[in-house]
Amino acid sequence: MTGEVQQTLAGEWISVGVSVAEVSGEEASVVFGVQWSFDGATWAVAQPDNVIGVLARPGAIVQRFTVKAPYWRIAAEVAGTNPFFRCSANALI
């Protein structure tokens, strides 16, 4: 699952924060990561150095990343049985 958060960047770094307000489902967890693109159409899969964090209960994580391309978006890989997450994300550029 990939969120629709997408923005053009021009700086050297970006701080990305994700917040999970609600979690349900058996063994539910989510891995948030940043994906990068040079054209806004083709996206690189989030690599380990682009992972924001893993959440299995309500909480928040902020990570700072070196900008690797002019476009970015947040991707989420959800696991578990009937997982549900109510999340929000923001960035400081």
Side-chain angles (χ1 to χ4, degrees), residues 9 11-14 36 49-50 64-69:
L9 297 176
E12 295 181 15
W13 59 270
I14 181 174
W36 304 97
D49 64 332
N50 294 326
R64 184 175 169 165
F65 299 96
T66 301
V67 173
K68 296 179 174 82

Side-chain angles (χ1 to χ4, degrees), residues 1-35:
M1 173 176 97
T2 301
E4 294 302 316
V5 177
Q6 178 178 310
Q7 188 168 353
T8 303
L9 297 176
E12 295 181 15
W13 59 270
I14 181 174
S15 290
V16 178
V18 293
S19 177
V20 173
E22 183 181 350
V23 177
S24 64
E26 191 173 324
E27 296 185 29
S29 67
V30 61
V31 178
F32 293 101
V34 175
Q35 294 182 339

Side-chain angles (χ1 to χ4, degrees), residues 31-92:
V31 178
F32 293 101
V34 175
Q35 294 182 339
W36 304 97
S37 173
F38 286 97
D39 61 8
T42 304
W43 297 91
V45 175
Q47 299 298 317
D49 64 332
N50 294 326
V51 171
I52 300 165
V54 179
L55 289 170
R57 62 177 191 235
I61 302 171
V62 176
Q63 290 288 350
R64 184 175 169 165
F65 299 96
T66 301
V67 173
K68 296 179 174 82
Y71 297 93
W72 70 281
R73 69 182 182 186
I74 296 174
E77 292 184 31
V78 178
T81 303
N82 298 319
F84 170 81
F85 294 88
R86 186 164 45 96
C87 313
S88 62
N90 55 51
L92 174 62

